[in-house]
Amino acid sequence: MPEVTSGGADVAPADVTPLVQIVSPTGERVVEPDNATYRSRVDHLTSEDLRALYRDMVLTRRFDDEATALQRQGELALYAQGRGQEAAQVGSAYALAPQDYVFPSYREHGVLHVRGVSPVDRLRLFRGVDHGGWDPAEHNVHLYTLVIGSHALHATGYAMGVQRDGLVGTGDPARDAAVVTYFGDGATSQGDVSEALVFAAVNNAPVVFFCQNNQWAISEPTSRQARVPIYRRGEGFGIPSVRVDGNDVLACYAVTAEALERAHHGGGPTFIEAYTYRMGAHTTSDDPTRYRERAEEEYWRQRDPIDRVAALLKAEGGWDEAWVAALDAEADTYGERLRTAVRELGAPPVESMLDHVYADPHAQVEAERAWLRDYELQTTNEEAVR
Amino acid sequence: MTTTTAPAVSTTSAVRTETLTFARAITEGLRAALEDDDHVMLMGEDIGRLGGVFRVTDGLQKDFGEDRVVDTPLAESGILGTAIGLALRGYRPVCEIQFDGFVFPAYDQITTQLAKLRYRSRGRLEVPVVVRIPYGGGIGAVEHHSESPEALFAHTAGLRVVSPSTPQDAYDMIRAAVASADPVLYFEPKGRYWSKGEVTLGGPVDAAGLDGARVARAGTDVTIVAYGPTVATALRAADALAAEGTSAEVVDLRTVSPIDVPTVVASVRRTGRCVVVHEAPSFLGAGAEVAARVTEECFHSLEAPVLRVAGFHAPYPVAKLEHEYLPSVDRVLDAVDRALAY
């Protein structure tokens, strides 16, 4: 298995660690005894399958570029860039069954793309018109959670519910269900993530903990979060754990497929560390030039996940110029539609500010709702008179 | 998967009246909830095999099994966080926090997640979680076992905060809390666990069980507002006042979020004087909200300012001093005297 470092100045010896890889950074298949079981999970994929993965990664990156530009133009208040993490997100999401449930953090735009959450729905939060943006039940994807690591517990509890529903180990792939929760390297320092690992382990819950170690938690490198590789944290709780090349879409698919199979069959949780890189900033409010080196970013540019799939397709005869041109055109249309849709997102009505605080009427809210209505009416009347 | 209010009719238990302790009334309320809906489950530290440190869940794991009455790891944030996940999957978890002072590791999950998921999702997500918290003092305990943190939660929109003062309310309100589609913090006055009262059990859940203050004692000269453990204190003070010729009306708020302002206001419009009694510190406690609302809405009816008898702005003291800290009948009488002197 290949070894890899972060390439940055802050490399701790513990970062030189074997990881699961099926396609090298230059697009060659890696064939060795250590990755045999993972290769067997992707050997059946055809060039058409690879082109589908490529397309989803390209559209994910296009979404990212469009959203970043929209923010710079003042159309979004904020945006959390996912550039560079397309393989980890698209690859893992491909392994999900429709009945599996996802608990993302706030950067998993590629996962949401694969699950079918529409591009404009994914940006309502960043536009400042919604704290969520989509209906979780439609695509089995929970809303973004901004309190770091908090949702790892929700995912574990949800998985405990799946167990109680009797939907683990039925042997029916259309019924067995599992949960995947995504979070970053920084999140693994939060107590809630440790507690989620405790509960998942002792309950043998069907939950996959997918940690995208993108090397940075805003301005702090992973060495500020851990002195051992992150995947060993899962091992510490008695959970099978694996480190995968987070820029290798086939490897990410394979390890997630294995983890989901384990969960579906009653084998309990898995911890996956996808070793990747946050090519962009933490969010559009962040300035990475203040804390990291160009050389490190260049090192990871050489390991771009999308270029890797392109190289693989070219090497295996699956690359077709006409198809690429069509994809470029599709991406352009996709971008234009997204820009138009985002610009049309307006503020919700003022009265909605007090909706959905509670299910049933709550005297305090109702009193304030009446006050707000009278106040708005009074203001309107005063303005009309002026 | 979402659920709304649980089935209204308890089909398995006939209506009957028994004399029960406060704690046992909660046990029977939990039993009824577990019988009514197979998605109701209990989770907490030591609630299963031990039956809870106050025995409130005694016998329930034996009757309903380990999957529905769950001994959790020692991790309050984990208990709440996994309860939220279970609720999102369609279950109705009732969490037990062992003591008031240990709720704080769960404060993040309660205030940033439990309180906000419905609002965040514009009503698509429902988290019908109940959090049972034994609270209040008077049991001679060490640090962190006698606190009254209810205001810290009532100040967060999205949570319902309730506290029964009688065994009947304990039974009715725990069933109503479980049936509610909203997250409910159910504060149990632990100093009252062994008090006894008549409880009518069985029958359908009262959908309005979580709403509304109750006039515990009618009177004409002063309104004493209390909730949880201080309702009994207020009633004893009313007895003492009656012997002196003063007629005190006692209003049991029953809920701290929302506060039933109309019931309090209707009373103060008649009596003209109001004293609020709670164990929680006076400074920024629930009594401050009552005082503000009463002043706003009954200003012209008030003969005296609204006064508060409550805990001090200091951590809950050592057991040997706690009776100096807790609102006593004497301190309530003193406040009523001051109100009457205006």
Side-chain angles (χ1 to χ4, degrees):
Chain A
M1 240 184 279
E3 295 184 345
V4 69
T5 71
S6 73
D10 205 359
V11 176
D15 264 340
V16 182
T17 300
L19 42 62
V20 175
Q21 188 183 73
I22 292 173
V23 181
S24 76
T26 46
E28 282 115 28
R29 299 252 179 184
V30 176
V31 179
E32 35 179 63
D34 279 356
N35 71 0
T37 55
Y38 296 111
R39 279 186 285 114
S40 70
R41 290 185 182 272
V42 302
D43 282 341
H44 65 285
L45 296 178
T46 63
S47 287
E48 198 182 313
D49 296 320
L50 293 180
R51 284 193 292 273
L53 283 163
Y54 182 82
R55 173 180 169 275
D56 280 328
M57 292 167 75
V58 163
L59 291 179
T60 294
R61 182 161 296 178
R62 185 56 183 259
F63 173 88
D64 209 68
D65 290 344
E66 293 289 345
T68 301
L70 283 165
Q71 194 279 333
R72 301 236 189 292
Q73 293 158 25
E75 299 290 349
L76 295 177
L78 182 79
Y79 177 65
Q81 299 163 299
R83 187 183 190 88
Q85 299 176 222
E86 295 87 356
Q89 295 184 13
V90 171
S92 60
Y94 259 60
L96 293 162
Q99 69 273 21
D100 292 332
Y101 207 89
V102 172
F103 282 82
S105 64
Y106 49 79
R107 203 189 295 284
E108 282 75 28
H109 320 305
V111 174
L112 271 60
H113 167 83
V114 171
R115 293 294 267 183
V117 180
S118 82
V120 70
D121 282 353
R122 283 180 260 150
L123 291 181
R124 291 179 195 280
L125 184 157
F126 297 106
R127 175 77 167 170
V129 300
D130 202 315
H131 282 327
W134 60 89
D135 181 353
E138 261 180 40
H139 305 287
N140 283 349
V141 178
H142 189 61
L143 301 177
Y144 280 167
T145 299
L146 304 189
V147 174
I148 303 290
S150 184
H151 59 297
L153 280 169
H154 309 157
T156 301
Y158 194 95
M160 290 164 64
V162 169
Q163 286 176 302
R164 283 161 172 77
D165 288 345
L167 293 175
V168 176
T170 69
D172 182 350
R175 297 183 69 227
D176 283 337
V179 182
V180 180
T181 180
Y182 293 86
F183 48 85
D185 41 291
T188 64
S189 294
Q190 282 279 0
D192 275 4
V193 173
S194 283
E195 294 192 23
L197 295 170
V198 168
F199 278 69
V202 301
N203 288 289
N204 203 43
V207 54
V208 177
F209 295 95
F210 196 98
C211 174
Q212 291 170 80
N213 178 358
N214 64 12
Q215 313 304 324
W216 293 96
I218 307 188
S219 67
E220 296 190 16
T222 307
S223 59
R224 296 304 296 154
Q225 311 297 346
R227 55 187 259 171
V228 296
I230 300 278
Y231 79 101
R232 288 184 54 192
R233 291 187 153 170
E235 285 180 352
F237 290 94
I239 292 174
S241 303
V242 63
R243 186 182 246 207
V244 64
D245 182 339
N247 284 15
D248 175 351
V249 73
L250 295 185
C252 289
Y253 169 81
V255 301
T256 310
E258 176 190 67
L260 285 167
E261 186 180 275
R262 173 180 295 127
H264 289 147
H265 293 181
T270 304
F271 189 101
I272 297 172
E273 177 193 356
Y275 201 80
T276 179
Y277 193 75
R278 196 195 73 206
M279 292 301 297
H282 166 66
T283 66
T284 45
S285 296
D286 181 33
D287 177 9
T289 66
R290 293 174 64 87
Y291 55 79
R292 68 185 194 186
E293 305 294 327
R294 285 273 173 177
E296 180 184 280
E297 294 176 359
E298 193 45 46
Y299 172 91
W300 282 93
R301 211 179 315 280
Q302 304 302 317
R303 284 152 179 77
D304 185 274
I306 297 178
D307 290 347
R308 192 180 304 202
V309 180
L312 180 69
L313 278 166
K314 284 171 184 162
E316 297 184 347
W319 187 261
D320 176 82
E321 290 303 335
W323 160 75
V324 171
L327 179 55
D328 281 346
E330 182 186 359
D332 284 346
T333 307
Y334 176 94
E336 199 187 308
R337 286 212 183 106
L338 180 58
R339 292 193 294 275
T340 305
V342 167
R343 290 190 178 115
E344 284 169 6
L345 290 178
V350 172
E351 314 82 65
S352 73
M353 189 166 58
L354 300 183
D355 289 343
H356 305 300
V357 184
Y358 297 92
D360 297 316
H362 183 287
Q364 185 67 25
V365 176
E366 296 315 305
E368 293 180 7
R369 197 195 300 280
W371 181 91
L372 186 60
R373 197 179 309 128
D374 290 345
Y375 183 79
E376 294 286 304
L377 198 59
Q378 181 189 308
T379 310
T380 310
N381 290 344
E382 283 171 4
E383 281 168 9
V385 166
R386 281 193 220 110
Chain B
M1 201 202 289
T2 60
T3 54
T4 52
T5 314
V9 178
S10 169
T11 55
T12 54
S13 72
V15 178
R16 63 209 183 276
T17 301
E18 295 177 25
T19 301
L20 296 177
T21 62
F22 197 109
R24 184 65 193 283
I26 302 173
T27 313
E28 293 311 310
L30 291 172
R31 180 184 300 282
L34 286 160
E35 284 169 353
D36 286 353
D37 181 352
D38 63 9
H39 276 65
V40 172
M41 51 185 288
L42 313 184
M43 38 200 297
E45 296 158 18
D46 306 292
I47 65 159
R49 197 184 293 181
L50 180 65
V53 294
F54 291 107
R55 306 295 184 267
V56 174
T57 54
D58 195 28
L60 296 177
Q61 187 179 71
K62 184 173 61 68
D63 291 344
F64 295 94
E66 289 180 6
D67 281 347
R68 295 189 68 199
V69 180
V70 181
D71 277 328
T72 62
L74 211 175
E76 284 76 14
S77 191
I79 294 168
L80 259 301
T82 52
I84 288 168
L86 280 157
L88 290 172
R89 183 67 184 184
Y91 287 84
R92 305 185 84 89
V94 182
C95 303
E96 177 178 303
I97 297 294
Q98 201 157 84
F99 285 92
D100 39 76
F102 302 130
V103 73
F104 298 103
Y107 194 74
D108 185 332
Q109 286 285 343
I110 291 172
T111 53
T112 71
Q113 307 303 319
L114 186 63
K116 294 176 166 60
L117 273 163
R118 173 176 293 275
Y119 190 80
R120 187 182 302 155
S121 66
R122 301 229 218 159
R124 291 166 172 142
L125 295 175
E126 203 165 86
V127 274
V129 175
V130 175
V131 188
R132 292 179 41 241
I133 303 173
Y135 83 123
I139 63 166
V142 292
E143 239 191 322
H144 312 297
H145 290 69
S146 311
E147 303 191 358
S148 295
E150 64 277 11
L152 301 176
F153 296 94
H155 196 57
T156 298
L159 301 172
R160 289 189 187 268
V161 178
V162 310
S163 186
S165 71
T166 63
Q168 182 70 64
D169 262 354
Y171 176 81
D172 289 338
M173 290 172 75
I174 190 65
R175 292 183 73 198
V178 175
S180 172
D182 289 319
V184 180
L185 269 59
Y186 178 94
F187 280 91
E188 311 175 349
K190 70 176 85 72
R192 307 289 299 152
Y193 272 153
W194 300 279
S195 68
K196 288 187 180 172
E198 287 245 304
V199 181
T200 300
L201 306 114
V205 177
D206 180 1
L210 284 187
D211 276 335
R214 178 179 64 95
V215 177
R217 180 191 177 116
T220 56
D221 301 331
V222 60
T223 301
I224 307 177
V225 179
Y227 57 89
T230 54
V231 174
T233 312
L235 288 170
R236 287 203 303 279
D239 281 343
L241 287 165
E244 294 169 7
T246 299
S247 165
E249 179 148 290
V250 176
V251 175
D252 176 358
L253 283 183
R254 298 173 76 249
T255 65
V256 179
S257 176
I259 291 176
D260 180 0
V261 173
T263 297
V264 176
V265 160
S267 175
V268 178
R269 285 210 177 109
R270 285 183 279 104
T271 64
R273 291 161 220 271
C274 183
V275 173
V276 190
V277 188
H278 57 61
E279 288 190 14
S282 179
F283 181 60
L284 288 168
E289 178 69 23
V290 174
R293 299 298 294 280
V294 167
T295 303
E296 239 183 278
E297 301 194 26
C298 331
F299 185 70
H300 295 294
S301 307
L302 282 169
E303 299 291 338
V306 179
L307 299 177
R308 292 167 292 159
V309 180
F312 298 102
H313 188 61
Y316 196 89
V318 295
K320 297 285 188 200
L321 290 178
E322 72 175 328
H323 291 287
E324 305 301 321
Y325 177 97
L326 292 169
S328 61
V329 170
D330 280 346
R331 278 171 53 199
V332 176
L333 294 176
D334 175 73
V336 170
D337 284 346
R338 279 186 284 127
L340 289 171
Y342 269 83

